[in-house]
Structures are given as structure tokens and as C-alpha cells.
Amino acid sequence: PVDMAINPSAGPPFGWVMCTTPWVVQSLWWHYVYTMDKAFLRDKGFEPIKLAVLFMADYMKRPDARGARWGDDRYHIFPTVPPELYGLMPGFKYNADSLTDITLFKFVFRAYIEACAALDIEGEEAALIGEVLDILEHLPDYPTALSQERGEVFVSVRGEDPEMVYNTPNSAFTVFPGEDHGLHSPEDIYEIACNSYRNHRNEGGNELVFQNLQGARLGILDLEKFKRQIEYCMMPNGTCTDMVLQVGGRYKDTLNFDFMSRMGIWFENTALPVVINECLLQSYNGILRLFPNWPGEQYAEFRTLRAAGGFLVSAAWEDGAVQWLEVQSEAGGKLRIYAPWENGAACVRDMKEETLQGDIALDTVAGEVIRFTRHG
């Protein structure tokens, strides 16, 4: 959303990657969701999000991005380039509606609507909200293909070979960073997402946090394999670089497996702890899910992990079950938890105990601490 007379990237294909516009403001929305700091949203976060939405909406509503030439009633993201792939192709073969574009456009469009509600400015933003709702109703479907071994999988762009060797884990972007799919998804969608994650081929690069976080979000990350990959990528100073994982994409057999280590580390690898955090606690959809990717026999305990809704969460796991749970509410929002125990939870707040059955939904007061244990 910046006026430029030239392609805005030194590497021309990157200037056509449309997902970078919503991606660059995504963390502003995350900051609000995990703190519920309305002053931040009002004074710092909202304006960049809105500017991104204005650009995205205008880009999709151009005459050459919809209409008879497309044979449908959808708004299309065109032209674009899937991240780290292809560039502009003859006839724009792979240059419309990449999976990454669709999922991140959807994320930020939804974030904008929720931000307007949180700031109570839906009236003054009504015109743009109407445009966004219209686009959301007419977004293209996520592209899929039939893989050789996994069945139906997501691919980065329509018509792509599902056995493609990627540099970034594009085929599971709907899980992360898109946050559209995960353990909360309907069974059929969840199966496609898992198939996509398992079918993914990565040559090594940009995947150490990214791809493993996708596995954690789906509850199917192999933690021992993750540990081995960390050891493989470890540098002498304790940081992780990216190492070659396989050939067949851009990499050839003759390439040195550690050629990237000479360039240092990719900055995103400093986020490695988030993979473990998301094995212990997930909350991105507004509902706390405890130990979604943790071995049943392995003891674990964590303290004050920050969760969506402005909550600080502590819990322990032993013998395949949650032992206790403690939640501190910073903002006084609605607390929602997937049921950690089949037979109900004993909830202690204000020195009073009550028994809760099934999934938990409680109004909270800013500053209060609520403790849960298994009923009985």
C-alpha cells in the first residue's frame, strides 16, 4: 500500500507476492488479541490494518480481477506470486489466488471487522465493512490436488503438482499463519490439512519454526524428530540456522548441506520456543486448549504462558491428564476452555468452589486468578 514508480523489491518476483500486505500487519492484530489493549489498537494498530484492507479490497475489485473472463462470481487475487515460487509465469499460469494470499487476506479482513467492533466504530467504517463482507463471501476456494500417497491436499496455487518441493511450507499455510484450520476444524477439513502437512516436501529454508509450528497446531508434531532437526541446525553459539533437507527443488545433490550456515541465521529461527509453547497451550481461536501435542507419558508444567483474550495460563500434565490449571485474567474478558476433564472441573474463584461440566465459559474480572482441578 505504498506508492512506487518501480517494482518495490530488489528481487522482482517478491514485489508481486500479494500476501505480504496482510502479513505485515498480522502481528498488530495478534498484539491486540493477546493483550486486549484497546489503547494500542486504537492509537497504533488499527490504522495500518485499515490501510492494508483498503489496498487489498481495491486490488481484488479491479475489473481484470473478476467477471466473465474468470467464469465465476468470485473476487480474485491477481496477479500474484506464491511465496518463494515461480515468479510471473507465461500466461500467468501460477499467478492467481495462491493459498497464502487467500488465507492471509481472509485473516486480515476478519481482523479489521473485529477491530471495528472492538473500537465501536462500525458506523463510521460501514462502507468499507460492507465491501470486506462482500469479498469474504466471494473469495476463491483454497486450491487442492490429489497426492500420490496422501489423497486430497492443499497446494500453493491451483494446477500445481502436489509433489512439489517447496522452500516455505506453503501447503499448510491455512494452519499457520492463516489460523483458518487446526484442531478446531471440521473432520473433513482437518484431514486435508493433516494430509497437506504430512505430504509437504521442503528443501530446507524458512521451515524450522514455520513447518513444526504447523504440526503442533494440528496436534501431530513428532517432538523427537523436531529435537533431532534442532540438533541438525544448531550452530556453535546455540542459535539455529537452516540446513538443506532434500534435493529435487532448487537444490542439487552436489550442494553442501550446510551452505546456509555461512550466512548466519534466519531471524525467524529466534522464535523456536513458540513451537513448544503451542504443544503445551493453544488459544489462537479464542478457546484455551491444553497440551494439544504432548506425549501422554511425559510430565510437563508451564507457568504464565500468554493466551488470546489477555490471559496468563499455568498448568501441569502427568499420566496423560491435566493435573491442574490456573488462569489470571488481565483484561476481564470471556474465558473459554475446551473441557480438560471428562467428569467436570472444580473451579475455585473468590474463595468459592463450583463444579463445571463440559467446555468452560466464564466471565472474568480484570486481575482475578481462577484455579481449576479435576472434579472429585
Side-chain angles (χ1 to χ4, degrees):
V2 178
D3 290 334
M4 285 197 175
I6 59 171
N7 194 302
S9 173
F14 292 95
W16 292 95
V17 179
M18 286 299 117
C19 67
T20 53
T21 293
W23 213 343
V24 80
V25 299
Q26 183 181 45
S27 59
L28 299 176
W29 180 243
W30 278 336
H31 184 96
Y32 169 70
V33 167
Y34 281 80
T35 64
M36 304 306 290
D37 184 346
K38 284 191 178 180
F40 167 84
L41 182 62
R42 181 186 62 247
D43 300 336
K44 296 183 179 179
F46 181 75
E47 188 66 16
I49 291 172
K50 179 180 176 179
L51 288 172
V53 167
L54 283 166
F55 173 80
M56 292 151 56
D58 283 351
Y59 198 76
M60 295 189 73
K61 297 189 84 170
R62 291 169 17 256
D64 55 347
R66 71 177 313 216
R69 62 174 291 189
W70 297 93
D72 58 34
D73 64 348
R74 309 298 181 96
Y75 292 99
H76 295 273
I77 306 171
F78 169 82
T80 188
V81 172
E84 305 277 343
L85 291 170
Y86 309 122
L88 290 175
M89 302 286 286
F92 297 109
K93 180 179 180 181
Y94 293 143
N95 298 124
D97 303 328
S98 86
L99 178 143
T100 308
D101 295 324
I102 295 169
T103 197
L104 285 170
F105 272 51
K106 187 183 293 189
F107 181 101
V108 172
F109 281 148
R110 290 171 172 170
Y112 164 74
I113 292 171
E114 291 183 42
C116 290
L119 296 174
D120 196 23
I121 54 174
E122 293 164 296
E124 60 193 85
E125 296 290 326
L128 184 54
I129 289 174
E131 284 191 60
V132 168
L133 289 172
D134 181 42
I135 293 172
L136 281 171
E137 190 177 342
H138 296 89
L139 274 175
D141 296 329
Y142 290 124
T144 62
L146 290 176
S147 70
Q148 295 175 5
E149 298 180 5
R150 305 290 182 185
E152 188 175 11
V153 297
F154 294 118
V155 289
S156 65
V157 66
R158 188 167 289 104
E160 181 180 67
D161 180 357
E163 319 309 328
M164 175 75 181
V165 178
Y166 292 106
N167 182 38
T168 56
N170 294 4
S171 53
F173 267 44
T174 63
V175 177
F176 182 85
E179 299 192 339
D180 200 20
H181 299 150
L183 286 164
H184 65 285
S185 296
E187 186 175 344
D188 57 337
I189 299 299
Y190 175 74
E191 182 180 2
I192 297 173
C194 289
N195 288 346
S196 306
Y197 173 79
R198 292 183 170 120
N199 191 63
H200 181 81
R201 292 155 170 78
N202 193 287
E203 64 192 11
N206 305 293
E207 90 296 330
L208 185 59
V209 175
F210 227 147
Q211 189 176 357
N212 291 299
L213 180 53
Q214 292 169 343
R217 283 279 175 95
L218 291 167
I220 57 175
L221 175 65
D222 183 334
L223 280 168
E224 293 304 315
K225 183 178 179 181
F226 176 52
K227 286 157 62 175
R228 291 195 300 272
Q229 187 178 3
I230 291 173
E231 292 172 0
Y232 175 57
C233 295
M234 190 76 72
M235 297 181 73
N237 66 358
T239 59
C240 285
T241 185
D242 285 9
M243 299 286 192
V244 173
L245 297 179
Q246 72 176 78
V247 297
R250 297 174 303 172
Y251 299 162
K252 302 190 183 325
D253 289 331
T254 54
L255 185 67
N256 193 328
F257 76 97
D258 64 350
F259 84 97
M260 283 178 281
S261 66
R262 296 190 294 275
M263 296 182 275
I265 67 167
W266 299 154
F267 185 74
E268 60 263 33
N269 287 348
T270 61
L272 267 173
V274 75
V275 179
I276 299 300
N277 291 353
E278 295 278 328
C279 290
L280 301 170
L281 172 70
Q282 294 178 19
S283 63
Y284 62 91
N285 68 335
I287 309 174
L288 273 58
R289 189 186 295 273
L290 296 160
F291 302 98
N293 195 115
W294 201 255
E297 73 286 354
Q298 178 67 51
Y299 178 81
E301 182 174 335
F302 63 85
R303 299 277 178 168
T304 59
L305 282 183
R306 180 168 293 280
F311 298 106
L312 299 179
V313 183
S314 305
W317 170 272
E318 189 173 18
D319 298 328
V322 178
Q323 298 300 304
W324 55 265
L325 165 66
E326 191 172 273
V327 180
Q328 178 181 345
S329 174
E330 287 190 327
K334 186 89 168 183
L335 173 63
R336 301 173 66 197
I337 309 170
Y338 289 110
W341 301 286
E342 290 184 2
N343 297 324
C347 169
V348 177
R349 60 193 305 197
D350 295 329
M351 305 298 290
K352 299 176 182 178
E353 181 174 324
E354 63 176 319
T355 300
L356 305 173
Q357 298 292 337
D359 293 340
I360 296 167
L362 297 173
D363 292 322
T364 68
V365 176
E368 76 169 319
V369 176
I370 308 172
R371 188 172 178 87
F372 303 87
T373 55
R374 181 168 40 204
H375 174 60

